[in-house]
Amino acid sequence: MPLDSFSVLMSPTFRCNADCEYCFENKTSGVMDLADFERIVRKLAAYFHEHQVRELKLYWQGGEIFTMEPDWLLRAQDICRELGQQKGLNINHGLQSNLLGYGPHWLRVVSEMFDRTVGSSLDFPNLYRKVAGGSPETYNETWFRRYRAARDDGIAVAVIAVLNEESLRRGAREFYAYFVETLGMHCFQINTPFPGGSLTPAKQGFPLDNHLLSNFYADLFDIWMRSGRPKGVSISPFDELIDHFRTGVDRLSCVWSENCAHDFVGVSPQGNVAQCESWVASYPDFVFGNILARNDMVDIMNGPVRRRFLDRPLRLLEEEDCAECEFLAVCHGGCPMRAYSASGTLFTKDPYCAAYKTLFGLARKAAIELDRLESTGRL
């Protein structure tokens, strides 16, 4: 095990109260049994303790966690604490939610288990996120009510915006103004969509056009550097990329991981294990194995399906032009899910390669300029 920490994307349910047109998950209505959860965590803790992993990060997502019962999560926290202590393993928790089901009954869980922090999503403009049986407008109205309620409860909500074709058409100026000036958000993340899972009309426009996306990145980066960054506005991955080029510190998205197979796995409500929740919820042929059906994690982690993910970086060097790329050490060929969903094969580079190169070039240039200003005392 090359790291002293490992992440597990834990999906105890694929039930959801939203009906987003670009979702990659095949929805089901069940919830993981608590006894099964305890068996899963016991096997995870034993495996990673044996491999000298000191920290296990559980990222809770679905489906939608807030369709479950708060007591289920509180009991799960107790299970993790007890098993972590037995194995000398520090188990931490993170939460991703659409917030649609948030209410006062969730405050204790979010406070105690997730340190009053939750990740959520809001797009501009919202074309595809919907409340089940509703419209994008209804989704936004409900989301803002829950967002304000969470903020009033002292919960920090980190927002991810998934770009769409209309985001690019309206442009970076309008996008930035919506989040920073209209909503007053000073920390948010932008992400790119991919056509994973079953095909829907929304996914026919994915991946986004690289030329348009590159122009959007360039315009947004310029606006942020001139108007946002000096005032403390943080946009991910812009901040992380500049830090990477200035200091070598790696806080980059899993999309640009050296090899995500070294860093995390996803677990489904049925105990299926795959590379991440995108795979375990969408592509059963890529399941590593079922942790509930095995005595331990060894066969799952050493199996032939996971081996394909471990082999991907070398295959990209052999079969793509990544070896000649000046940004190989930043991107490593990009996301296997984005590659597979766009091309049908793991062994091709991320379809957003050209746009990433634009963004990396902008961040590197900014890092050089910031270093220059700092060396002259003008930063």
Side-chain angles (χ1 to χ4, degrees):
M1 189 64 59
L3 300 175
D4 62 359
S5 67
F6 198 90
S7 299
V8 175
L9 308 179
M10 183 64 67
S11 298
T13 184
F14 285 147
R15 183 171 63 195
C16 192
N17 50 10
D19 186 20
C20 304
E21 293 181 31
Y22 55 28
C23 183
F24 52 78
E25 293 180 350
N26 296 315
K27 298 294 192 300
T28 56
S29 60
V31 174
M32 183 186 292
D33 186 83
L34 262 174
D36 286 341
F37 175 78
E38 182 170 358
R39 291 170 60 201
I40 289 170
V41 176
R42 187 177 299 278
K43 293 178 183 181
L44 291 171
Y47 178 84
F48 292 117
H49 171 74
E50 183 178 340
H51 287 78
Q52 300 180 332
V53 173
R54 291 176 293 182
E55 181 180 30
L56 185 62
K57 303 175 183 177
L58 297 188
Y59 290 99
W60 294 81
Q61 47 202 64
E64 171 51 43
I65 297 299
F66 287 162
T67 65
M68 298 174 62
E69 293 297 325
D71 286 347
W72 195 105
L73 274 293
L74 292 172
R75 177 58 188 138
Q77 181 186 27
D78 291 338
I79 291 170
C80 291
R81 184 183 299 114
E82 179 181 343
L83 294 176
Q85 289 173 351
Q86 290 178 12
K87 295 296 184 180
L89 190 65
N90 184 23
I91 302 180
N92 294 320
H93 305 275
L95 173 62
Q96 184 72 23
S97 165
N98 61 31
L99 285 184
L100 300 181
Y102 177 77
H105 57 300
W106 280 105
L107 180 56
R108 181 185 171 191
V109 173
V110 179
S111 299
E112 295 182 8
M113 191 170 179
F114 302 108
D115 196 26
R116 288 183 177 262
T117 301
V118 57
S120 192
S121 298
L122 179 70
D123 302 341
F124 177 79
N126 179 15
L127 301 183
Y128 304 122
R129 293 188 185 275
K130 300 178 180 179
V131 175
S135 66
E137 291 76 20
T138 304
Y139 179 97
N140 277 15
E141 291 169 2
T142 306
W143 189 89
F144 277 112
R145 287 200 305 271
R146 303 295 188 260
Y147 171 75
R148 287 190 289 267
R151 293 293 300 272
D152 289 345
D153 285 339
I155 294 171
V157 181
V159 172
I160 300 174
V162 178
L163 301 174
N164 56 54
E165 58 270 31
E166 188 66 10
S167 308
L168 307 188
R169 191 191 70 80
R170 293 201 186 185
R173 175 67 256 179
E174 193 172 347
F175 181 90
Y176 181 88
Y178 178 74
F179 284 100
V180 178
E181 298 166 13
T182 301
L183 303 183
M185 293 183 182
H186 286 75
C187 181
F188 60 96
Q189 177 181 335
I190 53 176
N191 208 350
T192 49
F194 55 89
S198 58
L199 185 63
T200 64
K203 297 175 187 177
Q204 292 178 354
F206 303 152
L208 300 174
D209 181 88
N210 266 286
H211 177 70
L212 297 177
L213 181 59
S214 295
N215 289 340
F216 179 90
Y217 277 153
D219 292 343
L220 184 61
F221 195 92
D222 180 64
I223 293 168
W224 172 68
M225 285 295 294
R226 288 187 291 105
S227 305
R229 191 176 185 276
K231 298 177 182 177
V233 174
S234 174
I235 298 180
S236 179
F238 295 176
D239 269 317
E240 291 85 349
L241 282 169
I242 289 177
D243 285 348
H244 176 82
F245 284 113
R246 294 191 73 191
T247 67
V249 173
D250 190 355
R251 297 187 295 116
L252 301 180
S253 163
C254 65
V255 171
W256 300 319
S257 169
E258 181 178 354
N259 188 342
C260 58
H262 290 311
D263 299 329
F264 52 84
V265 294
V267 180
S268 79
Q270 298 78 30
N272 291 324
V273 179
Q275 185 48 55
C276 70
E277 87 286 359
S278 303
W279 295 98
V280 79
S282 308
Y283 298 109
D285 290 345
F286 284 87
V287 168
F288 299 166
N290 187 288
I291 188 172
L292 293 172
R294 306 292 180 93
N295 292 328
D296 52 40
M297 283 282 290
V298 175
D299 289 344
I300 289 175
M301 299 300 278
N302 294 334
V305 180
R306 183 168 180 259
R307 183 75 256 168
R308 297 174 67 186
F309 288 87
L310 291 170
D311 291 344
R312 182 173 181 262
L314 179 59
R315 291 285 297 273
L316 291 182
L317 294 179
E318 295 173 344
E319 301 174 22
E320 289 279 5
D321 59 355
C322 295
E324 290 76 42
C325 179
E326 61 181 321
F327 296 116
L328 175 61
V330 184
C331 139
H332 307 284
C335 174
M337 168 53 76
R338 283 165 170 75
Y340 182 82
S341 64
S343 67
T345 176
L346 280 179
F347 305 118
T348 188
K349 61 186 178 181
D350 193 306
Y352 292 116
C353 170
Y356 294 159
K357 288 180 181 179
T358 296
L359 184 53
F360 298 156
L362 293 166
R364 182 174 62 182
K365 181 178 179 181
I368 293 171
E369 177 63 11
L370 290 170
D371 283 345
R372 185 187 68 82
L373 292 174
E374 186 175 83
S375 67
T376 58
R378 296 169 57 196
L379 184 62

